[in-house]
Amino acid sequence: MCGHLSKRFKSIEFRYIPRFHNELANALDTLASIILYPGNTHIDPLEIKIRDQHGYCNIIEAEPDGEPWYRDIKQYLKTREYLKHANRDQKRTIRRLSNGFFFSGEILYKRTPDLNWLRCVDAKEAEMIMNEVHT
């Protein structure tokens, strides 16, 4: 089967993917199984690079109410109480999301799939950090 299929590609490269990087492989596998391509369609290769250092960039904007995006999670971890406006579905989501966060003093951290911790910052602190890094 593999020999027959490999003749349809210009080049094939096999690489070992460590278990902690399997999320990407699983996502690509799922994507490939969803999309149907006619047999004569040319697909450009997808190049994926694994970097030595993490690079995270999220939208750095203040929430409309001026509170940080993680306010609900932080309050739940701190007091085990929800915000007044939270409905049943939002409460369930906050409980589920809070499992991936760690609260230390006044600082909230988010656990990454490779077991690192990212510090949660609001828009002002994010802007300050970005300015400091890029000067």
Side-chain angles (χ1 to χ4, degrees):
M1 175 76 178
C2 186
H4 174 69
L5 185 60
S6 66
K7 294 175 185 174
R8 299 177 70 185
F9 295 93
K10 288 181 183 178
S11 65
I12 295 178
E13 182 177 337
F14 295 97
R15 289 190 182 183
Y16 170 74
I17 299 174
R19 181 175 219 97
F20 61 89
H21 288 295
N22 255 356
E23 289 179 357
L24 178 60
N26 290 339
L28 290 173
D29 180 47
T30 301
L31 182 62
S33 68
I34 293 172
I35 299 173
L36 299 175
Y37 291 102
N40 58 357
T41 302
H42 172 75
I43 302 172
D44 289 327
L46 178 64
E47 184 175 333
I48 300 170
K49 294 181 181 180
I50 298 175
R51 305 284 182 185
D52 293 332
Q53 295 180 342
H54 295 289
Y56 297 96
C57 182
N58 291 321
I59 297 172
I60 304 173
E61 294 178 0
E63 293 290 325
D65 61 3
E67 294 290 336
W69 61 269
Y70 52 84
R71 173 188 55 174
D72 297 359
I73 296 167
K74 186 174 182 178
Q75 179 175 326
Y76 178 76
L77 288 173
K78 205 175 201 181
T79 64
R80 291 294 182 205
E81 295 176 359
Y82 306 99
L83 295 179
K84 293 176 186 175
H85 70 277
N87 63 34
R88 195 172 124 230
D89 289 337
Q90 290 168 329
K91 289 177 181 180
R92 184 176 53 235
T93 300
I94 291 168
R95 278 193 311 272
R96 186 176 42 81
L97 288 175
S98 68
N99 290 330
F101 287 82
F102 172 72
F103 194 61
S104 175
E106 287 299 313
I107 301 172
L108 185 66
Y109 295 92
K110 182 179 185 338
R111 184 180 14 238
T112 65
D114 54 353
L115 303 179
N116 287 315
W117 293 97
L118 300 176
R119 181 177 175 177
C120 298
V121 296
D122 61 19
K124 287 180 185 177
E125 191 173 2
E127 186 175 345
M128 183 187 75
I129 292 168
M130 294 301 286
N131 288 336
E132 186 177 310
V133 167
H134 292 289
T135 57

